[in-house]
Amino acid sequence: MMAMMLIAAATTFAGDSDALKAILKAKTYADAEQLLKTNLSQLANDEEKAAAYNKLVDLAMDAFNGEDNKRLLQQPFDSKVLYANAYNALVNAIECDKYDQLPNAKGKIKPRYHNKNQERLNTVRIAVINGGVEYINNQDNKNAYDYFMLYLNSAKSSLFAGSDIIKTDANLGLASYYAGRAAILSEEYGKATAAFDEALNDTSAEIRDEAFRLKLYAMNNNQKTAADSAKYVADLKEMMVKYPHNDKVFGALGDALLQQEKTDELTALCNANPDQPLAGIYIGMIAMNDKKYEEAIAAFSKITPDHPSYLQVVFNRAVCKLNVAGEFQEKYANKNTGAMTPQNEAKFKELLNDARVDFETVRELDPDQNTVRWVVLLRNIYYNLGDEAKYKELENM
């Protein structure tokens, strides 16, 4: 019986390539990794590749468990070593599973490592996300991004996709948010744009809102060419289809269309989304730019004081009202003397007073002109109204 067992064992390894044998004999992760990189093309088939990558998983897991045991025993441990081995174990387990799931020479799919790796790598995934947290806290944004993205990508890999582990994973949105945030801090806006997708559907409203804001910020900052700008608008339109009631997406698309002077498209967008608070603002801005001041005033007047952009809206409306007064003066004032009939003079001052009310509201909301420059315009209104005291009050501002 012993002789037969020895022969069987020899037969088992007789078919292994020299490249695989060398990898399986490696004692350290670094040695095995180097051998695999050098000899990957020399491995006989997908089964050998799966075995080789699984050897890297074994070595990384041994190193991870050794460091983790120190942590559990409250002994000094190296968190970077712990997290690096967790990262290596998960990366190679995913790669192992890719080959492990392929048909063998007989056309059969018989994974050898899938179940074991899925079970033991579940704990390692937690270490990977913890590693991301440590790196982002230490402002190492590149490593933070890599760790959070590995956590996310592992959920989509054949090793974990569709498993109960992923179905009950409450950390995916958080990892997505921090991966995107780390990419932004590294000014890698293209990476950030893609990273936030999972966070857009997180159960936490706070994470969702912040993820939308930062994703749109990254998309906007990723524009470098005319082609990028066209893609930006196209991507925003796709997001509008997916998230039709999201104010941030609507606002980003509206701003982009306004900036690119695509007023017909912007008008159509606003007409298709009349319940969007920003729709009235955009309609007003289009009319204002076309010098249709009465239409603009009507649109701006529909915006309520609780809107985040109310200050800018009131300022725009005030400017439109001042322009209406200016047009009236130009039409009815004597071309030589500038004088008007008493009736027209009264109407002119009525229009100025209407603008004054809005400018004074702007003054209350933005007394230091941090957002809009209102002083010169309001001072000129006081001058034309003959209010010398208020004119002098603003003279030195």
Side-chain angles (χ1 to χ4, degrees):
M1 180 67 72
M2 182 62 70
M4 290 178 63
M5 288 180 65
L6 288 172
I7 293 171
T11 303
T12 301
F13 293 100
D16 290 347
S17 66
D18 290 340
L20 179 59
K21 289 177 182 177
I23 293 168
L24 296 179
K25 289 178 182 178
K27 300 299 183 184
T28 67
Y29 177 86
D31 289 343
E33 182 184 38
Q34 184 59 44
L35 286 167
L36 179 53
K37 286 180 179 178
T38 305
N39 298 298
L40 181 61
S41 62
Q42 304 302 314
L43 296 174
N45 50 43
D46 293 328
E47 291 174 84
E48 286 205 350
K49 291 175 183 176
Y53 278 108
N54 192 66
K55 175 64 176 181
L56 266 65
V57 177
D58 289 341
L59 292 169
M61 285 298 301
D62 287 344
F64 169 79
N65 288 330
E67 208 65 35
D68 198 39
N69 285 336
K70 296 177 188 177
R71 180 185 66 84
L72 293 172
L73 294 171
Q74 297 184 336
Q75 297 174 355
F77 73 98
D78 190 328
S79 61
K80 287 187 177 180
V81 172
L82 178 74
Y83 296 137
N85 282 295
Y87 186 96
N88 291 336
L90 186 53
V91 164
N92 287 290
I94 292 170
E95 197 66 14
C96 170
D97 204 69
K98 183 174 75 174
Y99 293 107
D100 201 26
Q101 297 288 341
L102 295 175
N104 59 23
K106 296 181 180 180
K108 305 290 185 179
I109 299 177
K110 294 185 176 181
R112 294 178 59 190
Y113 311 105
H114 177 84
N115 290 339
K116 179 182 178 181
N117 281 343
Q118 186 183 93
E119 182 179 352
R120 64 177 173 168
L121 269 297
N122 184 32
T123 302
V124 168
R125 286 182 75 243
I126 302 302
V128 167
I129 198 172
N130 287 339
V133 171
E134 178 165 309
Y135 280 120
I136 205 165
N137 286 340
N138 292 329
Q139 299 181 338
D140 185 346
N141 297 311
K142 181 186 181 304
N143 271 320
Y145 171 82
D146 289 343
Y147 274 65
F148 286 124
M149 285 306 298
L150 175 59
Y151 186 88
L152 287 172
N153 291 333
S154 69
K156 303 171 187 175
S157 70
S158 61
L159 183 59
F160 288 106
S163 68
D164 291 338
I165 294 169
I166 302 306
K167 290 176 183 176
T168 58
D169 191 340
N171 294 318
L172 292 174
L174 198 64
S176 170
Y177 168 75
Y178 279 112
R181 186 167 173 264
I184 285 177
L185 291 170
S186 298
E187 297 185 357
E188 295 279 358
Y189 298 116
K191 289 181 178 180
T193 296
F196 281 114
D197 286 349
E198 194 73 38
L200 301 183
N201 301 304
D202 194 77
T203 54
S204 166
E206 184 179 1
I207 290 177
R208 287 198 308 271
D209 289 346
E210 191 66 2
F212 270 107
R213 184 183 72 81
L214 291 177
K215 179 181 175 71
L216 294 169
Y217 171 84
M219 290 170 64
N220 186 40
N221 279 277
N222 201 39
Q223 300 178 80
K224 296 177 182 177
T225 66
D228 291 337
S229 296
K231 184 178 185 304
Y232 176 58
V233 169
D235 289 345
L236 287 171
K237 287 179 179 178
E238 287 185 12
M239 288 186 72
M240 271 299 297
V241 173
K242 194 171 182 179
Y243 306 101
H245 304 298
N246 189 281
D247 295 350
K248 292 181 178 65
V249 178
F250 182 88
L253 179 56
D255 286 349
L257 293 174
L258 190 66
Q259 186 175 7
Q260 296 180 23
E261 298 182 352
K262 296 181 177 180
T263 54
D264 289 344
E265 285 189 51
L266 180 53
T267 301
L269 176 70
C270 292
N271 290 337
N273 297 273
D275 295 333
Q276 274 284 351
L278 282 172
I281 296 177
Y282 288 128
I283 293 295
M285 292 178 73
I286 292 169
M288 185 178 179
N289 291 340
D290 290 341
K291 298 184 178 181
K292 298 176 180 178
Y293 299 120
E294 296 288 359
E295 290 183 23
I297 292 167
F300 290 140
S301 295
K302 294 178 182 178
I303 308 304
T304 56
D306 59 342
H307 193 280
S309 299
Y310 186 67
L311 169 59
Q312 187 66 58
V313 169
V314 177
F315 179 78
N316 288 346
R317 186 174 66 185
V319 171
C320 287
K321 289 179 177 181
L322 187 57
N323 283 323
V324 169
E327 288 180 343
F328 182 89
Q329 183 185 38
E330 185 177 357
K331 182 176 181 180
Y332 292 105
N334 184 285
K335 298 298 184 287
N336 295 319
T337 65
M340 285 184 280
T341 65
Q343 184 177 0
N344 286 337
E345 181 72 24
K347 178 62 177 177
F348 174 61
K349 288 188 175 181
E350 179 185 327
L351 294 172
L352 285 177
N353 270 309
D354 194 20
R356 173 189 60 77
V357 171
D358 276 352
F359 276 116
E360 287 178 346
T361 299
V362 170
R363 180 181 184 178
E364 291 176 8
L365 296 173
D366 187 26
D368 297 322
Q369 299 189 101
N370 292 321
T371 303
V372 292
R373 310 295 291 180
W374 53 265
V375 169
V376 172
L377 298 173
L378 182 55
R379 189 173 63 207
N380 288 341
I381 289 176
Y382 288 144
Y383 177 83
N384 281 288
L385 290 173
D387 194 332
E388 186 176 352
K390 289 187 176 180
Y391 172 82
K392 287 185 175 180
E393 180 187 345
L394 297 180
E395 199 167 16
N396 296 321
M397 288 188 67

